[in-house]
Amino acid sequence: SCSPISPPGCLLAVYEQNAVKFKSLDVLVLDEADNMLNMGFAEEIQKIMTLLPTQRQNLMFSATFSDAIRLLAKGIVNNPVEISVNPINVVASTVKQWMYATDKKKKSALLTKLIKDNDWQQVLVFVRTKNGADRLTRYLQEKGINTAAIHGNKSQGARTRVLAEFKNSELQVLVATDLAARGLDIDQLPQVVNFDMPHIAEDYIHRIGRTGRAGSKGQAVSLVSADEFKELTAIERLIQQLITRKTIADFKPVNDVPESCLDTRPIKAKKPKKPKKPKTEHRDG
């Protein structure tokens, strides 16, 4: 039997090329389901659903599940049973969190100082964009720090090789985008840095959940600029705690990051947009 593993768009493409058949499918698995639905794959997933046998089992896995994504998921599965291993949106108590407020243009130099002054030997750094990952990698390499990037423009072979080098401590720093880092399993990773704050608050849980696993201690450091204050407060509201602030004299921001006040109001789920029904094509012949 064949068990195809693929992003939704690629799976549709190989189906249209008659390279895969869905007739005998028994189980559909959506891994990192919140991220797939949140990133606009819902329409593609819905189209795949229309091609699958009615009698099947749907399984959805994710480290976080916002209320909005949960509502959208209910339109995909029937009478679902939800199993939660850990409390929703809780950061492990073994992870020490703090942040530095600094200007965006000072972040690279600040990160370099933190790595060298603290002698961090294995650091996973999160950035928002692929270009940002490449820029930061070049900067750190120029500062004598053994660094590599992992993102969607890298081949699977390159990503596998870089990850193996990082796990074996051949690399000191791994710079990653959120999508590329999904599913990374690194034992006893001591240090995670949020070079860019994530737009989606739940992604903060995913990021720092890479450290402090299985009872081991970990540290999560965020570099926050003034234009990321909205993201900071959303994260603090989600985890229901203020992130401790630290300062380094040479890196104090010109554009100040305001002191945040914890918002304890319940987060109301926004109704997600329903995916459009795929158009039916009529072909002659």
Side-chain angles (χ1 to χ4, degrees), residues 120-175:
W120 289 343
Q121 292 301 311
Q122 195 178 37
V123 192
L124 177 59
V125 181
F126 282 98
V127 296
R128 281 202 197 119
T129 68
K130 291 175 280 191
N131 287 336
D134 289 334
R135 280 196 304 271
L136 180 58
T137 297
R138 288 192 296 270
Y139 181 94
L140 294 175
Q141 287 173 341
E142 289 169 0
K143 299 299 179 182
I145 299 171
N146 194 4
T147 308
I150 183 171
H151 55 64
N153 283 356
K154 304 284 185 180
S155 69
Q156 186 58 49
R159 282 189 271 180
T160 301
R161 184 176 64 255
V162 165
L163 182 57
E165 291 174 353
F166 185 63
K167 286 184 175 182
N168 294 332
S169 299
E170 297 171 42
L171 276 177
Q172 188 174 356
V173 178
L174 178 62
V175 182

Side-chain angles (χ1 to χ4, degrees), residues 38-230:
N38 211 24
M39 289 187 66
F41 292 128
E43 188 170 342
E44 292 175 335
I45 292 170
Q46 192 68 38
K47 186 172 182 179
I48 291 170
M49 293 290 186
T50 63
L51 302 171
L52 301 179
T54 305
Q55 296 298 318
R56 67 176 188 274
Q57 183 181 21
N58 296 321
L59 301 176
M60 305 178 75
F61 296 92
S62 181
T64 61
F65 240 118
S66 68
D67 289 338
I69 297 302
R70 186 174 280 105
L71 282 174
L72 186 55
K74 284 181 179 178
I76 294 175
V77 293
N78 297 317
N79 301 318
V81 174
E82 183 175 333
I83 300 173
S84 298
V85 177
N86 292 312
I88 296 173
N89 299 331
V90 173
V91 177
S93 59
T94 52
V95 180
K96 181 182 178 182
Q97 304 171 71
W98 75 91
M99 59 162 280
Y100 292 97
T102 192
D103 293 321
K104 193 174 291 291
K105 64 182 181 180
K106 296 178 182 177
K107 283 188 177 185
S108 297
L110 175 55
L111 176 59
T112 302
K113 178 177 177 60
L114 291 172
I115 291 171
K116 292 188 173 182
D117 287 2
N118 294 290
D119 193 27
W120 289 343
Q121 292 301 311
Q122 195 178 37
V123 192
L124 177 59
V125 181
F126 282 98
V127 296
R128 281 202 197 119
T129 68
K130 291 175 280 191
N131 287 336
D134 289 334
R135 280 196 304 271
L136 180 58
T137 297
R138 288 192 296 270
Y139 181 94
L140 294 175
Q141 287 173 341
E142 289 169 0
K143 299 299 179 182
I145 299 171
N146 194 4
T147 308
I150 183 171
H151 55 64
N153 283 356
K154 304 284 185 180
S155 69
Q156 186 58 49
R159 282 189 271 180
T160 301
R161 184 176 64 255
V162 165
L163 182 57
E165 291 174 353
F166 185 63
K167 286 184 175 182
N168 294 332
S169 299
E170 297 171 42
L171 276 177
Q172 188 174 356
V173 178
L174 178 62
V175 182
T177 55
D178 286 297
L179 192 57
R182 284 296 180 112
L184 286 188
D185 186 15
I186 306 167
D187 292 335
Q188 298 182 335
L189 174 65
Q191 192 70 49
V192 169
V193 175
N194 295 299
F195 186 84
D196 297 319
M197 297 299 277
H199 284 308
I200 301 168
E202 284 83 3
D203 280 344
Y204 179 83
I205 306 286
H206 279 282
R207 289 179 175 191
I208 73 170
R210 296 290 182 274
T211 185
R213 290 183 169 185
S216 61
K217 293 183 179 180
Q219 299 181 115
V221 181
S222 298
L223 310 184
V224 185
S225 55
D227 64 342
E228 295 174 311
F229 181 68
K230 181 180 178 181

Side-chain angles (χ1 to χ4, degrees), residues 212-280:
R213 290 183 169 185
S216 61
K217 293 183 179 180
Q219 299 181 115
V221 181
S222 298
L223 310 184
V224 185
S225 55
D227 64 342
E228 295 174 311
F229 181 68
K230 181 180 178 181
E231 284 82 358
L232 172 64
T233 55
I235 289 165
E236 290 178 327
R237 184 180 182 186
L238 179 70
I239 64 176
Q240 281 300 290
Q241 66 181 94
L242 294 177
I243 299 173
T244 302
R245 295 190 178 210
K246 294 185 180 182
T247 57
I248 297 177
D250 293 341
F251 294 92
K252 287 184 178 179
V254 174
N255 302 301
D256 196 30
V257 179
E259 289 290 334
S260 47
C261 181
L262 188 62
D263 188 343
T264 58
R265 293 174 299 170
I267 300 174
K268 294 182 179 179
K270 295 179 181 178
K271 289 187 177 180
K273 294 180 180 179
K274 292 183 179 179
K276 296 177 182 177
K277 292 183 179 179
K279 295 179 181 179
T280 305

Side-chain angles (χ1 to χ4, degrees), residues 20-41:
V20 64
K21 303 290 184 182
F22 291 150
K23 289 181 180 179
S24 59
L25 183 137
D26 296 315
V27 181
L28 174 70
V29 179
L30 293 179
D31 196 17
E32 304 293 0
D34 67 327
N35 208 38
M36 283 210 294
L37 295 175
N38 211 24
M39 289 187 66
F41 292 128

